[in-house]
Amino acid sequence: MDRRDLLNIVEEYGSPLYVYDAEAIKNQYIRLQHAFSDVPSLKVNYAVKALSNISILKLMNQLGAGLDTVSIQEVKLGLAAGFNAERIIYTPNGVSLKEIEDVATLGTQINIDNLSILEQFGSKHPDIPVCIRINPHVMAGGNTNISVGHIDSKFGISIHQIPHLLRIVENTGMNINGIHMHTGSDILDIDVFLHASEILFETAKNFKGLEFIDFGSGFKVPYKTGDIETNIEELGEKLSGRFNEFCTAYGKDLTLAFEPGKFLVSESGYFLASVNVVKQTTSTVFAQIDSGFNHLIRPMFYGSHHEIENISNPKGRERFYTVVGYICETDTFGSNRRISEISEGDILCFKNAGAYCFSMASNYNSRYRPAEVLWLNQKAHLIRKRENFEDILHNQVDVDVQLEREHISVQ
Ligand SMILES: *Cc1c(COP(=O)(O)O)cnc(C)c1O
């Protein structure tokens, strides 16, 4: 996709707008497959929450991916997109036993991350195979050292509770068919990740009926030039080697699973917004766009950096702008960015807008959520309509509000 394509698309579908390049998603998927081509069996489960449009899920299905889901609604989206239930893994945190049972009924692989539910589920349904999510308490500490961190994380079953976990499995007679971790932190140092993997292998030895080991995600993608990204090829080489050794020792070829969200879709996405006002104050030039954290919250929520380009005037003189939105709240997308000269009506393009952008959008200020377009085979396909006023009122119950006279106090 180039600048011209993006301008044509925003001209046709209006702003603000999300655009995703199918080719970019495919390339990332293939890259991951290549990096792990040496393991007996690889399963890439796309993390639905990153970008959950049904057409994106269908693209993942075409590529041969499975799905990683965190709610029963995401499981149902996956089924609606044509996935077989067995190709979906459900990795919730803090949900009710009832929801887990409902998902199990659909035929989806369950992943349990706490001892209380594990015991209840195992007692009631000892025949349903379950994966367990382990918290290895490993995270990167600076550049070279590995530190034990996140001891208070709400995710996963602590490795310090393995004896208790084994007692539950033995008492219930349940079948553990997978071991999982997802630390949530970026994999910048491959040795840190390998260290956590060793803990997972150590844990895995306790279970005889394993089918897969799931290493979660955490693949970091570059958000700006010079950013460090996970070296997938190096990780593939080192982890595959260790995984194959483990399988030999275990006496069975297992499946190596990953569940990337950001890695697959972040760089495929562009967020296009139009400049309403250029506002010069004594110290700053603000470019105010027809959007805010209701459409793209990452910069305000996580302090994330998204590159911003003025695609309407790519060759203009560069000036410093603070790009903000139209929401009645501080909604700064970027401060003092060097951007090619901006005029009102120009289209600004935000990069890395594929993951956790649309999926975190809201209706704050009663604004419509943007439309979404998939660029597939050199053609634009609308995959979500822009909301309209009916959508804002949808589900609101308009009761006949009549205060009784005596309750209205008049001073
Ligand atoms: C969010 C999530 C992922 C995806 O994380 P990314 O950083 O987007 O790759 C994978 N697994 C689980 C359990 C998650 O909650």
Side-chain angles (χ1 to χ4, degrees):
M1 305 203 68
D2 61 19
R3 193 179 63 80
R4 279 267 139 238
D5 297 323
L6 290 170
L7 282 172
N8 290 338
I9 293 170
V10 77
E11 181 143 339
E12 179 166 1
Y13 298 99
S15 83
L17 186 70
Y18 278 100
V19 181
Y20 314 110
D21 181 358
E23 190 76 13
I25 296 173
K26 187 187 89 185
N27 290 341
Q28 288 291 87
Y29 185 82
I30 291 173
R31 202 178 140 202
L32 197 51
Q33 292 252 307
H34 278 166
F36 287 88
S37 54
D38 282 347
V39 299
S41 154
L42 175 73
K43 185 89 251 190
V44 176
N45 295 320
Y46 167 61
V48 173
K49 72 180 189 290
L51 176 61
S52 41
N53 189 292
I54 192 165
S55 297
I56 298 292
L57 302 187
K58 285 186 169 175
L59 174 66
M60 296 297 176
N61 198 1
Q62 278 248 313
L63 291 170
L67 294 181
D68 173 64
T69 58
V70 294
S71 69
I72 188 167
Q73 290 78 12
E74 285 189 352
V75 173
K76 289 179 177 173
L77 264 178
L79 296 174
F83 283 86
N84 291 330
E86 317 84 69
R87 294 188 38 234
I88 305 177
I89 180 164
Y90 172 65
T91 307
N93 173 260
V95 309
S96 65
L97 176 63
K98 168 80 169 59
E99 183 170 316
I100 294 179
E101 289 176 324
D102 288 348
V103 172
T105 306
L106 296 171
T108 296
Q109 171 71 50
I110 303 295
N111 189 359
I112 293 181
D113 96 327
N114 68 84
L115 295 175
S116 169
I117 297 279
L118 186 74
E119 185 157 32
Q120 293 174 67
F121 190 89
S123 307
K124 285 175 78 178
H125 316 282
D127 297 334
I128 301 180
V130 164
C131 172
I132 43 178
R133 178 173 183 172
I134 298 298
N135 184 344
H137 299 305
V138 172
M139 59 185 287
N143 273 340
T144 49
N145 52 352
I146 293 165
S147 69
V148 175
H150 271 270
I151 207 86
D152 283 335
S153 163
K154 70 164 188 162
F155 299 102
I157 298 168
S158 167
I159 38 159
H160 305 301
Q161 291 175 307
I162 298 291
H164 188 177
L165 172 100
L166 293 175
R167 269 201 308 280
I168 291 172
V169 172
E170 193 177 0
N171 291 343
T172 57
M174 66 195 303
N175 170 23
I176 302 301
N177 69 340
I179 300 280
H180 169 278
M181 72 168 181
H182 171 68
T183 61
S185 47
D186 290 333
I187 310 169
L188 285 178
D189 186 331
I190 287 172
D191 289 336
V192 174
F193 193 78
L194 292 172
H195 182 78
S197 305
E198 289 304 325
I199 294 173
L200 215 54
F201 290 138
E202 227 13 76
T203 309
K205 288 183 191 161
N206 292 297
F207 303 96
K208 298 287 158 265
L210 293 183
E211 291 161 14
F212 65 94
I213 301 182
D214 187 331
F215 294 86
S217 181
F219 301 115
K220 189 171 163 34
V221 298
Y223 275 74
K224 52 176 184 280
T225 37
D227 261 5
I228 322 170
E229 64 179 305
T230 306
N231 186 335
I232 300 288
E233 289 69 27
E234 185 189 345
L235 180 68
E237 202 178 309
K238 292 188 170 164
L239 184 59
S240 299
R242 265 305 286 137
F243 186 79
N244 293 344
E245 276 171 35
F246 176 81
C247 290
T248 306
Y250 188 75
K252 182 181 170 192
D253 278 351
L254 302 178
T255 295
L256 188 162
F258 276 117
E259 43 193 41
K262 193 183 276 183
F263 177 80
L264 291 177
V265 298
S266 175
E267 292 163 288
S268 79
Y270 302 92
F271 179 57
L272 306 172
S274 139
V275 177
N276 284 336
V277 183
V278 176
K279 180 173 185 172
Q280 169 91 59
T281 66
T282 42
S283 58
T284 304
V285 187
F286 289 101
Q288 291 199 272
I289 59 172
D290 59 350
S291 184
F293 64 60
N294 49 329
H295 299 150
L296 201 173
I297 202 172
R298 300 188 75 260
M300 305 85 183
F301 200 38
Y302 304 114
S304 318
H305 179 102
H306 288 259
E307 293 279 57
I308 307 171
E309 219 178 275
N310 180 2
I311 57 171
S312 297
N313 182 25
K315 300 238 160 69
R317 202 176 128 208
E318 290 195 333
R319 292 170 171 270
F320 285 96
Y321 294 95
T322 291
V323 178
V324 296
Y326 62 8
I327 290 296
C328 297
E329 192 95 45
T330 301
D331 56 356
T332 307
F333 291 103
S335 294
N336 290 315
R337 296 286 188 86
R338 259 185 114 91
I339 301 173
S340 176
E341 185 158 14
I342 298 175
S343 308
E344 291 172 0
D346 282 356
I347 300 295
L348 301 190
C349 175
F350 293 71
K351 306 284 184 64
N352 283 76
Y356 307 105
C357 292
F358 186 93
S359 63
M360 291 182 128
S362 76
N363 289 118
Y364 188 52
N365 279 202
S366 296
R367 294 288 183 183
Y368 308 145
R369 281 181 298 173
E372 294 179 287
V373 165
L374 179 64
W375 179 253
L376 179 70
N377 305 327
Q378 303 299 309
K379 275 218 273 302
H381 302 262
L382 184 68
I383 58 171
R384 186 191 299 266
K385 294 185 214 165
R386 186 176 307 288
E387 287 180 329
N388 59 29
F389 193 63
E390 279 80 65
D391 295 319
I392 300 289
L393 278 176
H394 184 70
N395 277 348
Q396 296 198 41
V397 181
D398 184 4
V399 298
D400 183 23
V401 178
Q402 293 286 345
L403 284 171
E404 287 173 24
R405 271 229 159 268
E406 60 269 29
H407 293 154
I408 304 174
S409 66
V410 180
Q411 294 288 0

